[in-house]
């Protein structure tokens, strides 16, 4: 059967994303849009809207044209939205880059996305320069780099804001033009650029309204990174579109987080499971007054139910809320609404409007299943991505001819229409909500001269956090240690991608066609855990 949303359909929103988010801003005027959670500096809606116009004008003067790809490589800050919506307003596609990227990772994304422009911050300049050098050596030099807080030889945000010309008027086609190009490994392989049109993102915000829509003036805390689709959507696009106030923190530190909640009387927390863990268990939490918190929404990775209950008790909330989404789905398909009096415990919520879900059998038949039956989740709706940038075969492997996106997640729908996500058939590892692609780590491992073969899967640690584990075949006669393997990888990837366990094996199980049989490795791990 096809599960359909119980909410009335919403029409497609054919607006550029900066307009969908910021045109209501005109009406919010002097209300506070953003607060720097560290310094207390505030940005009003009027100032944000004006900054976006000036940044667009400044970028156009610098040479940014419609369709150019601008890479945004910055931690969360109150300047981030001006850069992001300003680039969009100038007609560019924004590829958001993990602020933990190494030079090689950044160069990889800049090259793959065909980015011509980079917007960054001065502490990231050494990484940005090293990446730019790698690109230049490959004959693909960047056209320009903006350093938001200023650095010699580069335009700054202040320079862009000082632009005197008119903002450009690019002819954006919301149905076709790519607003954002975040990177995701999807169900298999290496990270790929996910083409999200203005329409798919703007429509997904309208779809989400039915279940999650912060009130005007509601204070939400933004510590999840804006570069990831979850932070970008749930902590920038949606709250700003609704006239909420976003309290911005550059990174997670429990004490700073709790202090920001207390000081700014934060009402909405939008987080990933590691923050729930800290809030549930850490003694430091008792030192702060967190009584302003009205709801906590957790998504991006599985949430343990006992942990969720412990956190809810500590925050004096009836229950925690969950959402489910995927970069390739713009990203939201399910949310537990803050106004839902009795959601099914442990569920990730109900379908947003204009979205269909199928649960298909895992026995190879692909048959549709009914309520209570576990299978792969397939989604169809206006939020399905346009495709992977420059990779039509990878696109066809996840979006079928009828428009169903095969999520690679396993779940079931209960009798009341609430979805439960219980497992994954795809390779992807979620370390604390961050994507880790096994194929990427395997390629790094195979670059070591003493490694003959390698495979990576996700394995739960004592806290239930999924961690990358490498199975390594040594080149005969070499004395490679697990620590050396872990250090080798750590030196080449962002910290969240580190290999956290290493096991030496005689051979990596592979199919006749040479594909790694991850299922066998997972079964071995499960046997051991059960033993
Ligand atoms: O592509 P991605 O990194 O995307 C995300 C996006 C998450 C959301 C969720 C609700 C929102 O409102 C929102 O704005 C963004 O994580 O990873 C997608 C995969 O992460 C796992 C699942 O395997 C997806 O295919 N995942 C996401 N949410 C959950 C989850 C969840 N609640 N429980 C278990 N796994």
């Amino acid at each position: 059967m096809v599960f359909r949303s119980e909410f009335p359909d919403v029409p497609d929103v054919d607006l550029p994303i900066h307009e969908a988010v910021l045109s209501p801003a005109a009406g919010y005027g002097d209300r506070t849009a953003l607060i720097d959670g560290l310094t207390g500096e505030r940005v009003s809606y009027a100032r944000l809207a004006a900054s976006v116009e000036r940044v667009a004008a400044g970028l156009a003067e610098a040479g940014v044209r419609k369709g150019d790809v601008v890479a945004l490589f910055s931690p969360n800050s109150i300047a981030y939205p001006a850069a992001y919506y300003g680039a969009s307003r100038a007609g560019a596609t924004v590829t958001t880059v993990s602020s933990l990227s190494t030079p090689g990772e950044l160069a990889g994304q800049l090259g793959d996305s065909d980015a011509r422009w980079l917007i960054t911050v001065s502490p990231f300049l050494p990484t940005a320069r090293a990446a730019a050098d790698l690109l230049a050596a490959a004959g693909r030099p960047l056209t320009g780099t903006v350093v938001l807080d200023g650095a010699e030889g580069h335009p700054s945000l202040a320079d862009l804001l000082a632009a005197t010309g008119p903002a450009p008027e690019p002819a954006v086609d919301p149905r076709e033009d790519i607003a954002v190009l975040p990177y995701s490994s999807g169900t298999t392989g290496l990270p790929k650029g996910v083409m999200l049109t203005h329409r798919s993102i703007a429509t997904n915000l309208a779809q989400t309204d039915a279940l999650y829509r912060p009130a005007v003036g509601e204070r939400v805390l933004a510590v999840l990174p804006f570069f990831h689709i979850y932070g970008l959507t749930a902590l920038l696009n949606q709250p700003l579109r609704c006239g909420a106030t976003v309290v911005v923190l550059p990174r997670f530190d429990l004490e700073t987080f709790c202090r920001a909640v207390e000081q700014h009387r934060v009402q909405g927390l939008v987080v990933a499971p590691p923050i729930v863990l800290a809030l549930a268990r850490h003694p430091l939490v008792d030192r702060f007054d967190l009584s302003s918190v009205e709801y906590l929404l957790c998504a991006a990775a599985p949430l343990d139910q006992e942990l969720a209950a412990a956190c809810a008790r500590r925050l004096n909330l009836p229950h925690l809320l969950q959402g489910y989404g995927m970069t390739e789905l713009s990203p939201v398909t399910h949310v537990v609404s803050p106004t839902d009096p009795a959601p099914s415990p442990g569920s990730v919520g109900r379908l947003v409007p204009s979205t269909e879900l199928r649960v298909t059998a895992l026995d190879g038949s692909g048959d549709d299943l009914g309520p209570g039956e576990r299978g792969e989740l397939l989604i169809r709706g206006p939020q399905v991505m346009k495709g992977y940038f420059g990779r039509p075969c990878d696109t066809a492997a996840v979006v079928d001819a009828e428009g169903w996106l095969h999520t690679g997640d396993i779940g079931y729908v209960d009798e009341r229409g609430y979805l439960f996500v219980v497992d994954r058939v795809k390779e992807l590892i979620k370390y604390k909500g961050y994507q880790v692609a096994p194929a990427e780590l395997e390629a790094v491992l195979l670059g070591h001269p003493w490694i003959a073969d390698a495979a990576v899967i996700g394995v739960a640690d004592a806290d239930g956090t999924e961690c990358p584990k490498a199975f390594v075949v040594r080149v005969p006669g070499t004395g490679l240690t697990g620590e050396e393997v872990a250090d080798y990888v750590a030196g080449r990837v962002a910290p969240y991608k580190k290999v956290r366990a290493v096991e030496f094996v005689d051979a990596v199980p592979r199919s006749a066609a040479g594909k790694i049989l991850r299922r066998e490795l997972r079964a071995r791990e499960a046997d051991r855990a059960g033993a």
Side-chain angles (χ1 to χ4, degrees), residues 33 111 242 329 410 488:
C242 298
L329 291 167
I410 302 177
Y488 176 79

Side-chain angles (χ1 to χ4, degrees), residues 431-456:
Y431 176 73
K432 301 190 171 182
Y434 288 108
Q435 284 206 5
V436 182
E440 195 180 347
L441 295 181
E442 286 153 7
V444 171
L445 288 162
L446 291 176
H448 193 295
W450 291 358
I451 294 180
D453 201 0
V456 174

Side-chain angles (χ1 to χ4, degrees), residues 228-230 233-234 299-302 322-328 331-332 348 409 421 424 426 428 430 435:
H228 184 240
I229 196 74
Y230 182 22
T233 304
Q322 282 198 71
Y324 168 73
M326 183 170 165
T327 309
E328 288 81 349
V332 187
V348 299
D409 289 314
V421 177
R424 253 178 249 143
K426 58 186 166 190
L428 177 70
K430 273 297 183 95
Q435 284 206 5

Side-chain angles (χ1 to χ4, degrees), residues 1 13 110 118 127 143 156 195 215 279 304 382 420 425 430 463:
M1 73 180 275
V13 179
L110 293 171
L118 178 62
T127 302
T143 309
S156 65
M195 295 190 288
L279 289 173
D304 178 78
F420 291 76
V425 276
K430 273 297 183 95
D463 281 332

Side-chain angles (χ1 to χ4, degrees), residues 17 21 33-34 45 76 80-81 84-85 96 180 196 201-202 204-209 211-215 218-248 266-272 295-300 321-327 329-336 338 352:
I17 184 62
V21 171
L34 301 153
Y45 272 94
N76 287 7
Y80 197 107
Y84 160 54
Y85 298 114
T96 51
V180 187
L196 301 178
I201 297 188
N204 192 237
L205 297 172
Q207 291 174 291
T208 305
D209 277 348
L211 287 152
Y212 178 59
R213 192 185 156 83
E218 179 173 311
R219 291 172 300 280
V220 297
L221 186 57
V223 71
L224 295 179
F226 294 149
F227 69 75
H228 184 240
I229 196 74
Y230 182 22
L232 193 71
T233 304
L235 292 168
L236 272 190
N237 287 338
Q238 188 69 331
L240 292 178
R241 176 173 163 273
C242 298
T245 297
V246 182
V247 180
V248 182
V266 167
Q267 294 150 294
L269 294 178
V270 175
V271 302
Y295 64 86
L296 181 152
L297 172 65
C298 180
L321 317 173
Q322 282 198 71
Y324 168 73
M326 183 170 165
T327 309
L329 291 167
S330 298
V332 187
T333 68
H334 291 75
V335 188
V336 175
V352 298

Side-chain angles (χ1 to χ4, degrees), residues 284-420:
L284 192 142
V285 173
D286 293 328
R287 297 205 333 240
F288 294 91
D289 173 7
L290 306 184
S291 61
S292 57
V293 175
E294 292 168 9
Y295 64 86
L296 181 152
L297 172 65
C298 180
L303 177 64
D304 178 78
Q305 272 325 284
E306 276 178 30
L307 186 67
C311 182
R313 276 194 302 275
R314 201 146 189 221
L315 294 179
N316 240 333
L317 298 171
H319 46 251
L320 299 194
L321 317 173
Q322 282 198 71
Y324 168 73
M326 183 170 165
T327 309
E328 288 81 349
L329 291 167
S330 298
V332 187
T333 68
H334 291 75
V335 188
V336 175
S337 172
T339 59
D340 189 336
S344 297
S347 125
V348 299
R350 289 177 290 170
L351 265 176
V352 298
S354 306
T355 306
E356 299 171 293
L357 163 73
R358 278 165 58 208
V359 182
T360 61
L362 297 164
D363 59 8
S365 68
D367 287 347
D368 280 341
L369 303 176
E373 296 178 302
R374 292 175 178 212
E376 186 183 3
L377 308 175
L378 274 54
I379 298 285
R380 189 162 68 178
Q383 69 269 59
V384 172
M385 67 169 174
K386 185 169 175 179
Y388 291 119
F389 181 60
R391 291 186 168 87
C393 294
D394 289 319
T395 305
V398 294
V399 185
D400 67 25
E402 289 162 0
W404 290 95
L405 181 127
H406 297 236
T407 64
D409 289 314
I410 302 177
Y412 67 93
V413 179
D414 73 7
E415 293 292 344
R416 302 169 64 214
Y418 288 81
L419 177 69
F420 291 76

